[in-house]
Amino acid sequence: MAIGPELKQFRIEVSGNGVVHLIFDMPGRSVNVFSNAAIEEIGRFADWLKASDMAGVVIRSGKSSAFCAGADLAELETAYDMIMAAPAVDRDRLAFEHFFRLSHGLRRLETAGKPIAVAIAGLALGGGCEFALAAHHRVLADHRQATFGLPESLVGLLPGGGGTQRLPRLIGIQAALPVLLEGARIGGQAATTIGLAHELVPPGEEIDAAERWVLSRAQAVQPWDRPDWQAGEAPHVAAVVAESRSKMLAETLGHYPAPSAILDCVEQGFSQDFDTAIRTEMQIFAKLIQRREPRNMIRTLFLGRLDHERLKRNGMNPKVTEAVGAVSNALGVQSERGKELSDAFCRAGFRVDAASRAEFDGHVAGAVYWIDDEPTSWGKELLRARLANADAAAAVWRSQLDEPERRAADYLLVTQAGFPAYLGGLFAAGLT
């Protein structure tokens, strides 16, 4: 007899001692990701669990490659198009309702009243890490591939499944910020030392260890839901965030909104009760997802990278590299140039040379890119002219490349030719 709700992205198995195993095992995929279907099933499972008589839950992966690699970014780009096609007055609400489903499902899971342990034997990144953070007990295999990470900032986003709230509450703000802002990964003994994992066990023993904990009459309450919970760092959060923000702006020159949004989530949400905090996180996420920078970065650094890797395996069309070379020559970042243009290239985030370094001028990315915003300058005028030349050169090649080849060309333009990731490239993303 089947037990639990009917699921397709997960499997349910029940051990003889009443522990239910929720096994993330997407059909037809070598790696689990959080698709819309998987998110919907988490919520359904959480609601069933609350009403069930199960002893508790062990969450694990049915894949040998990883626990979960994060969100389905292709679906995320589709959601962006859906949101931006709506009237402007409706976009915040649509974004919130669409993306809050994961956070809401994870919250229902951790408050279902049953002890939940997660067994991690591989990568737990992005939404996969947030899934693990929603468990009451985390068992980690002592293997170099078994790591936690929240790399959303690397594609212009923030962890919108409660990651900006659970992680600082578990390991402290200072330890959480490198994970949130820089995509740092934590595994092995380091994960247990800082409280991210509760147990580190030899590979192959993580599932048994997780089940033992569930059967130990463990308390099914998160630290932040206990009556005596106090956010000990709350009085210092503003100062810690301000210092981190200043350093981040000096490094990014204000072009990347995701790190600022992450810091806003931590600063505003840390002292709030948890249910309010995750809504604050999603309100900030809903604004961020509407910006051009994450769209450009997802399309170029994620989809473009996948396209490039696939094309490289199957035989790269030589026109891709020819197109990148033509656009790079037209842009002329490395060509002879005057000080005004050189300074503008640097300040706009183009990779010029090791000796060139721009100072942050206080301008944080708004609705308009720095190159198009006030105050105007001769350097910006010169840079816009170079970009127009490069765009004209790209236009010659666009019709000769299919969509995956255009994304792959943008990936090379950013990663090899020094084009800023927030602008996304000129072949598929463009400067719109």
Side-chain angles (χ1 to χ4, degrees), residues 1 17 70 73 88 94 100 125-126 153 168 176-177 187 194 208 215 218 270-271 284 335 337 409 427 431:
M1 182 179 68
N17 47 28
L73 292 182
L94 285 173
F100 191 60
L125 302 180
S153 66
L177 287 179
I194 65 174
D208 288 342
L215 293 169
F270 191 73
S271 59
I284 295 170
S335 65
R337 59 196 180 276
F427 294 97
L431 295 178

Side-chain angles (χ1 to χ4, degrees), residues 36 72-87 91-92 94-95 98-99 155-157 285-299 303 367 369 422 429-432:
N36 292 326
D72 186 327
L73 292 182
E75 283 191 356
L76 195 146
E77 188 177 28
T78 300
Y80 169 88
D81 292 338
M82 176 270 293
I83 292 163
M84 299 309 292
R91 290 173 188 167
D92 286 357
L94 285 173
H98 182 82
F99 290 107
V155 288
L157 292 173
F285 182 97
K287 293 286 189 183
L288 179 63
I289 194 64
Q290 298 175 53
R291 295 185 61 104
R292 295 173 293 177
E293 295 91 345
R295 178 206 60 178
N296 291 343
M297 294 172 73
I298 290 168
R299 189 179 295 170
L303 298 177
Y369 292 136
Y422 73 92
L431 295 178
T432 57

Side-chain angles (χ1 to χ4, degrees), residues 73-118:
L73 292 182
E75 283 191 356
L76 195 146
E77 188 177 28
T78 300
Y80 169 88
D81 292 338
M82 176 270 293
I83 292 163
M84 299 309 292
V89 69
D90 295 327
R91 290 173 188 167
D92 286 357
R93 176 184 56 80
L94 285 173
F96 188 101
E97 290 174 353
H98 182 82
F99 290 107
F100 191 60
R101 293 172 304 138
L102 175 58
S103 195
H104 189 215
L106 295 180
R107 186 63 175 148
R108 279 142 63 196
L109 187 64
E110 71 181 359
T111 58
K114 303 292 168 62
I116 299 170
V118 61

Side-chain angles (χ1 to χ4, degrees), residues 91-298:
R91 290 173 188 167
D92 286 357
R93 176 184 56 80
L94 285 173
F96 188 101
E97 290 174 353
H98 182 82
F99 290 107
F100 191 60
R101 293 172 304 138
L102 175 58
S103 195
H104 189 215
L106 295 180
R107 186 63 175 148
R108 279 142 63 196
L109 187 64
E110 71 181 359
T111 58
K114 303 292 168 62
I116 299 170
V118 61
I120 303 293
L123 295 174
L125 302 180
C129 180
E130 292 176 298
F131 193 12
L133 294 178
H136 305 112
H137 191 78
R138 286 167 293 283
V139 181
L140 186 67
D142 192 4
H143 185 277
R144 62 184 181 85
Q145 288 296 320
T147 55
F148 298 96
L150 292 168
E152 284 87 346
S153 66
L154 303 183
V155 288
L157 292 173
L158 64 86
T164 69
Q165 303 307 312
R166 287 187 180 88
L167 191 66
R169 284 166 169 79
L170 282 171
I171 68 175
I173 295 173
Q174 292 281 16
L177 287 179
V179 180
L180 292 167
L181 296 174
E182 303 163 19
R185 298 182 185 183
I186 302 176
Q189 189 60 52
T192 58
T193 299
I194 65 174
L196 188 51
H198 298 91
E199 294 183 69
L200 183 68
V201 300
E205 297 183 15
E206 63 278 354
I207 296 172
D208 288 342
E211 189 166 291
R212 280 196 301 273
W213 179 85
V214 169
L215 293 169
S216 69
R217 299 182 181 274
Q219 191 176 17
V221 180
Q222 294 283 28
W224 44 84
D225 289 326
R226 293 171 184 160
D228 60 348
W229 165 257
Q230 290 184 336
E233 293 179 284
H236 312 292
V237 65
V240 172
V241 167
E243 181 181 356
S244 183
R245 194 185 301 273
S246 178
K247 179 182 176 184
M248 176 272 297
L249 290 172
E251 293 173 350
T252 67
L253 303 176
H255 295 302
Y256 294 86
S260 285
I262 289 169
L263 290 171
D264 289 343
C265 288
V266 174
E267 184 171 19
Q268 295 176 33
F270 191 73
S271 59
Q272 296 174 333
D273 69 87
F274 196 79
D275 289 299
T276 301
I278 58 174
R279 296 186 72 84
T280 295
E281 175 189 80
M282 186 45 58
Q283 288 164 357
I284 295 170
F285 182 97
K287 293 286 189 183
L288 179 63
I289 194 64
Q290 298 175 53
R291 295 185 61 104
R292 295 173 293 177
E293 295 91 345
R295 178 206 60 178
N296 291 343
M297 294 172 73
I298 290 168

Side-chain angles (χ1 to χ4, degrees), residues 276-344:
T276 301
I278 58 174
R279 296 186 72 84
T280 295
E281 175 189 80
M282 186 45 58
Q283 288 164 357
I284 295 170
F285 182 97
K287 293 286 189 183
L288 179 63
I289 194 64
Q290 298 175 53
R291 295 185 61 104
R292 295 173 293 177
E293 295 91 345
R295 178 206 60 178
N296 291 343
M297 294 172 73
I298 290 168
R299 189 179 295 170
T300 302
L301 296 179
F302 178 73
L303 298 177
R305 176 179 59 81
L306 294 180
D307 289 327
H308 178 262
E309 290 173 353
R310 183 168 55 251
L311 291 169
K312 196 171 181 180
R313 284 195 306 268
N314 298 332
M316 180 73 72
N317 181 350
K319 287 185 177 182
V320 172
T321 52
E322 290 174 29
V324 172
V327 169
S328 297
N329 289 335
L331 191 59
V333 177
Q334 305 301 333
S335 65
E336 186 175 342
R337 59 196 180 276
K339 185 177 187 305
E340 292 88 352
L341 179 56
S342 182
D343 288 348

Side-chain angles (χ1 to χ4, degrees), residues 391-430:
D391 188 63
V396 174
W397 291 91
R398 284 186 195 120
S399 62
Q400 302 179 50
L401 304 174
D402 62 22
E403 186 175 356
E405 289 170 339
R406 290 194 294 272
R407 287 195 298 256
D410 279 333
Y411 172 74
L412 291 175
L413 197 62
V414 168
T415 58
Q416 295 186 13
F419 203 87
Y422 73 92
L423 293 177
L426 291 170
F427 294 97

